[in-house]
């Protein structure tokens, strides 16, 4: 099977670039005669993925962090019918690496490569979101894992500026604390499948295909990748003392029992701001804009190697 690897050399603070000779040897040993494409700028992975599909690749391997995986997924969807015949393998080399928690053997790169070769690909959903980019123009992206509005985009910006020597969980926790004190709460109206879910002053509003984000936070413990539905998780903004309880519960999924947290499911989510405060956009760990935003499920849009059965 023709395999193309989309690699982000800047992943994990440049770790991929610094170790590329050894990593490339491992890729060729485990995957065979692969074609390697290196990203050079934000958004480049999307273009490279579509070009690889158009050139006849039948398996794409995304080698980087969750942002890289999101770009590659966007490129597969951009390829239209040709993309439906492509399988996706994921190799983790990011700061947080939340989607990998849903995959087999994701802690070891060589083992992850063997999963791509040996395990059949499973059909899973993706998400599509249209939002306001920093330029002020509307933009549409595809996401693999979780997209959110509120404090999450601000957390991303802090993570990007912090030392990559910190473990992913510690990096996101520190960024979350900084964002809590730097974030002006946004109030939004939320409609799910044409019905009003409510009006909320949010710390975060998460539209979830997968379960984990933010370096291990278990935002959506009941989300499944192939059920044709988003789990929509709204975390209301509250004073520090109350927010700490919710924040602690995020790591074991118990936050969903808090009266500050509201959960529903749906295929189509519309979020409209009702105050001037920004609801910052987060898409698979990247911060490309803010609300208003519209989310749509793309049922069975992807075929991914090594998805753990309990998450399908």
């Amino acid at each position: 099977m023709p395999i193309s690897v989309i690699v982000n050399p800047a992943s994990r603070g440049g770790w991929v670039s610094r170790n590329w000779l050894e990593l490339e040897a491992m890729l060729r040993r485990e995957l065979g005669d692969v074609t390697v494409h290196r990203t050079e700028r934000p958004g480049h992975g999307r273009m490279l993925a579509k070009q690889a599909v158009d050139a006849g690749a039948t398996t794409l391997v995304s080698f980087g962090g969750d942002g890289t995986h999101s770009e590659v997924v966007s490129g597969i969807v951009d390829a239209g019918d040709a993309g439906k015949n492509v399988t996706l393998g994921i190799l983790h080399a990011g700061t947080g690496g939340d989607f990998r928690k849903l995959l087999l053997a994701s802690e070891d790169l060589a083992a992850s490569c063997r999963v791509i070769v040996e395990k059949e690909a499973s059909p899973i959903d993706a998400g599509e979101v249209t939002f306001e980019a920093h330029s002020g123009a509307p933009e549409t992206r595809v996401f693999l894992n979780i997209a959110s509005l509120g404090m999450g985009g601000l957390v991303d910006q802090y993570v990007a500026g912090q030392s990559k020597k910190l473990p992913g969980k510690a990096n996101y926790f520190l960024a979350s604390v900084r964002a809590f004190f730097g974030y002006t709460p946004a109030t939004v109206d939320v409609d799910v499948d044409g019905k009003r879910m409510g009006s909320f002053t949010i710390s975060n509003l998460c539209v979830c295909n997968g379960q984990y984000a933010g370096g291990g936070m278990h935002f959506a413990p009941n989300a499944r990748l192939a059920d044709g539905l988003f789990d929509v998780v709204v975390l209301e903004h509250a004073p520090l003392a109350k927010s700490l309880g919710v924040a602690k519960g995020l790591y074991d999924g118990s936050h969903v029992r808090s009266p500050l947290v509201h959960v529903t499911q749906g295929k189509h989510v519309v979020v409209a701001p009702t105050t001037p405060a920004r609801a910052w956009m987060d898409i698979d760990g990247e911060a490309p804009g803010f609300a208003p935003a519209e989310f749509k499920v793309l049922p069975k849009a992807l075929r991914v190697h090594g998805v753990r059965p309990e998450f399908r």
Side-chain angles (χ1 to χ4, degrees):
M1 53 181 178
I3 298 178
S4 289
V5 180
I6 312 295
V7 58
N8 182 356
S11 288
R12 202 179 296 169
W15 175 83
V16 171
S17 179
R18 293 192 299 272
N19 295 277
W20 179 243
L21 291 179
E22 296 88 343
L23 291 171
E24 184 178 28
M26 181 274 297
L27 290 174
R28 296 191 184 281
R29 182 176 66 249
E30 300 292 344
L31 297 177
D33 187 19
V34 299
T35 301
V36 175
H37 308 273
R38 296 170 178 81
T39 65
E40 299 175 356
R41 58 190 180 276
H44 196 201
R46 181 174 186 169
M47 180 188 305
L48 291 174
K50 183 179 184 302
Q51 289 173 348
V53 174
D54 290 342
T58 56
T59 296
L60 291 187
V61 175
S62 177
F63 188 8
D66 286 340
T68 302
H69 308 328
S70 186
E71 290 188 11
V72 172
V73 165
S74 291
I76 292 173
V77 173
D78 288 345
D81 288 342
K84 296 176 182 177
N85 298 318
V86 173
T87 65
L88 174 65
I90 289 175
L91 299 178
H92 168 67
T95 303
D98 288 292
F99 191 78
R100 67 182 166 124
K101 296 177 177 65
L102 313 182
L103 303 175
L104 297 168
S106 61
E107 299 297 326
D108 180 84
L109 286 173
S112 294
C113 287
R114 290 192 288 274
V115 165
I116 294 168
V117 173
E118 297 170 4
K119 299 293 184 181
E120 291 290 331
S122 303
I124 69 167
D125 306 329
E128 181 183 82
V129 55
T130 301
F131 58 96
E132 185 176 335
H134 291 294
S135 66
E139 184 173 329
T140 299
R141 293 194 187 187
V142 175
F143 61 97
L144 177 63
N145 187 30
I146 292 178
S148 71
L149 288 162
M151 198 186 302
L154 196 55
V155 172
D156 293 338
Q157 294 175 50
Y158 287 137
V159 167
Q162 290 174 173
S163 171
K164 296 301 185 291
K165 295 180 180 179
L166 288 171
K169 188 173 181 179
N171 208 334
Y172 275 94
F173 179 77
L174 177 59
S176 296
V177 172
R178 292 177 63 194
F180 181 87
F181 292 103
Y183 169 67
T184 300
T187 300
V188 297
D189 288 340
V190 185
D191 291 351
V192 179
D193 291 344
K195 297 180 180 179
R196 178 59 51 88
M197 180 181 180
S199 179
F200 306 97
T201 300
I202 57 172
S203 62
N204 276 297
L205 185 157
C206 304
V207 179
C208 307
N209 189 38
Q211 295 191 6
Y212 297 90
M217 295 180 184
H218 204 179
F219 280 101
N222 296 313
R224 295 294 181 269
L225 292 169
D227 62 357
L229 297 168
F230 293 128
D231 277 35
V232 184
V233 183
V234 178
L235 288 79
E236 289 192 70
H237 188 78
L240 179 60
K242 291 184 178 181
S243 295
L244 284 175
V246 175
K248 182 179 179 181
L250 278 169
Y251 288 97
D252 62 14
S254 63
H255 64 291
V256 296
R257 298 196 293 268
S258 168
L260 294 172
V261 179
H262 310 271
V263 182
T264 192
Q265 290 185 313
K267 301 177 180 180
H268 182 205
V269 183
V270 177
V271 181
T274 59
T275 58
R278 294 288 196 197
W280 298 96
M281 189 89 234
D282 167 288
I283 302 176
D284 286 339
E286 305 291 327
F290 29 81
E294 181 177 8
F295 306 81
K296 297 178 182 179
V297 169
L298 304 178
K300 307 292 194 302
L302 304 168
R303 294 192 296 144
V304 179
H305 293 278
V307 178
R308 290 165 56 181
E310 63 267 33
F311 296 117
R312 295 178 196 164

